[in-house]
Amino acid sequence: MIIKPCQIPYHVTQYQVFAQRLKSGLMKDIFEEKLRKGLAGYRGEKSIGYYLEFLPAMDYLIFHGLRLANGDSIFQMDCLILSQTFILLLEVKNIAGTITIGNGIRQLVREFNHQTDAFDDPLLQAEIHRKRLLYWLRKEYPAFPDLPIETLVVFASPGVIKTPNINPLQTEKIIRSSALEHKIEELIQKYPQTIASSDKLEVLSCKLLTSHRDLKINPFQTGKIKFEDIVKGVQCPRCHAFSMRWRQKNWHCPSCNFISKDAHIPALLTDYRLMCGTTITNAQCRDFLRLDSSDVSKYLLQSLCLGSVGNNRGRIYILPEN
């Protein structure tokens, strides 16, 4: 049963907005690259879902992209599978090119398009996440029984995988996504004894979901970009130009003549929220939507039936998370 489905991570949706709204320049290029890598990771994690469909829904609980806190430290698991007999942690990689793991240094080396790049060793990453999960379980749910925790590194992308100088036990933990079903069947045979009751799994499932923390970025706060670097305005749903103007209670696009009543909604509830947070004032709305009148911005904010705090000029509107 899929408890936490595979979705585009919150911070990757932020990358999408920044990549779209930043003016041309170095930071736009950086966010476009972050977006490309983030979406590649998401597609890799999503692709393994096909190989997990064979698992009996009532016997296995599947969590994608869990991000948990151990005190001040955070760890994220690409995919976590709970059963009454074992726990399986998957480290999913979607990296194109020729991959080498275990060349004497704990790293992954990728050769692609005549370029060589180094990444963290996924075997080491998986083992670190296993230890952190074990610590989290003992702290957050000490009554949960000691289930064995297995790890696998799953490559979702095609390409050559080389594993020199790795012992056979480690090599067995590196698979392609097509081998995932076979590996899980091996674990089912390896751990036949029921250790955790269904009730305890249900309690653990609730604890994991409520403990999940999305990664959220704030490049304005870190000083990497300024609000002046952002392209303001309402984007046309048809031609995608940021040039729509409010006239006679409608948005008009001078580029393609498209007319919309609600084009401001994604600008505020998606773009502004993901870039600037969940609060907005009348003045901030007027500036971001490039409106000439504070009365119009007030009208548009109130039409969204948003919660608010404060009164009159000090009113702050709350933008919903979902």
Side-chain angles (χ1 to χ4, degrees):
M1 180 186 301
I2 298 177
I3 305 299
K4 186 176 183 300
C6 185
Q7 299 173 323
I8 298 178
Y10 190 93
H11 68 284
V12 177
T13 63
Q14 289 183 289
Y15 293 159
Q16 285 181 312
V17 175
F18 279 109
Q20 181 175 263
R21 288 238 177 210
L22 277 166
K23 297 174 183 176
S24 297
L26 176 61
M27 290 310 300
K28 185 178 182 68
D29 295 340
I30 289 174
F31 273 93
E32 287 177 343
E33 179 64 12
K34 287 178 179 287
L35 174 61
R36 185 191 66 78
K37 291 180 179 179
L39 290 177
Y42 160 73
R43 286 192 291 267
E45 292 170 29
K46 189 173 179 63
S47 69
I48 67 169
Y50 171 80
Y51 302 101
L52 299 177
E53 291 179 353
F54 79 97
L55 292 174
M58 299 307 296
D59 297 333
Y60 295 88
L61 307 182
I62 301 172
F63 303 79
H64 290 277
L66 268 178
R67 190 168 181 268
L68 305 176
N70 271 333
D72 294 332
S73 65
I74 300 287
F75 68 103
Q76 179 169 329
M77 298 167 285
D78 292 337
C79 184
L80 180 69
I81 302 173
L82 302 181
S83 76
Q84 293 182 281
T85 61
F86 65 89
I87 295 174
L88 177 58
L89 193 159
L90 304 180
E91 183 73 23
V92 183
K93 297 298 179 185
N94 189 20
I95 305 174
T98 298
I99 305 298
T100 302
I101 305 173
N103 54 356
I105 303 175
R106 298 303 299 267
Q107 66 179 2
L108 178 154
V109 176
R110 185 269 300 272
E111 298 174 80
F112 185 64
N113 287 341
H114 307 291
Q115 182 175 334
T116 302
D117 300 295
F119 303 84
D120 290 334
D121 180 356
L123 288 167
L124 185 58
Q125 285 180 306
E127 179 58 23
I128 290 172
H129 292 161
R130 187 191 72 82
K131 291 179 179 178
R132 290 181 177 176
L133 175 61
L134 183 60
Y135 178 86
W136 185 92
L137 286 169
R138 289 173 176 170
K139 180 181 178 183
E140 301 295 334
Y141 193 9
F144 191 76
D146 287 333
L147 281 177
I149 303 177
E150 292 278 354
T151 62
L152 289 173
V153 175
V154 183
F155 281 91
S157 54
V160 177
I161 304 173
K162 301 178 182 179
T163 58
N165 305 321
I166 290 184
N167 68 57
L169 291 177
Q170 287 182 310
T171 303
E172 288 181 2
K173 291 180 178 292
I174 303 172
I175 64 170
R176 295 191 185 278
S177 54
S178 58
L180 184 56
E181 180 176 347
H182 174 70
K183 275 294 184 180
I184 293 178
E185 288 174 346
E186 286 184 351
L187 293 175
I188 292 171
Q189 296 299 318
K190 182 179 179 180
Y191 300 109
Q193 183 178 354
T194 298
I195 300 174
S197 67
S198 58
D199 288 343
K200 287 192 179 295
L201 281 183
E202 185 176 349
V203 172
L204 176 57
S205 175
C206 292
K207 286 181 178 290
L208 288 168
L209 281 180
T210 57
S211 299
H212 171 73
R213 298 291 181 267
D214 285 320
L215 171 61
K216 298 181 180 182
I217 62 168
N218 189 344
F220 296 118
Q221 189 176 59
T222 59
K224 292 183 178 179
I225 63 174
K226 299 178 181 178
F227 201 66
E228 292 74 24
D229 300 326
I230 298 296
V231 176
K232 301 175 186 177
V234 173
Q235 187 176 32
C236 176
R238 176 188 286 174
C239 72
H240 307 299
F242 290 96
S243 58
M244 299 196 87
R245 292 292 183 266
W246 180 260
R247 294 201 311 266
Q248 299 176 338
K249 294 190 175 182
N250 284 293
W251 292 99
H252 297 253
C253 179
S255 298
C256 69
N257 296 318
F258 184 73
I259 298 175
S260 170
K261 287 185 176 295
D262 57 8
H264 61 285
I265 294 179
L268 292 176
L269 299 189
T270 300
D271 293 7
Y272 187 92
R273 175 179 60 82
L274 288 171
M275 291 191 299
C276 305
T278 56
T279 61
I280 188 170
T281 65
N282 185 311
Q284 289 169 333
C285 175
R286 177 183 173 185
D287 177 58
F288 186 67
L289 300 184
R290 299 172 65 187
L291 295 166
D292 297 324
S293 167
S294 59
D295 289 335
V296 172
S297 57
K298 179 180 179 181
Y299 164 77
L300 293 175
L301 287 168
Q302 292 183 341
S303 70
L304 296 176
C305 300
L306 302 173
S308 64
V309 294
N311 297 300
N312 302 324
R313 291 183 178 273
R315 187 180 299 276
I316 298 173
Y317 297 88
I318 312 300
L319 302 175
E321 285 281 2
N322 294 310

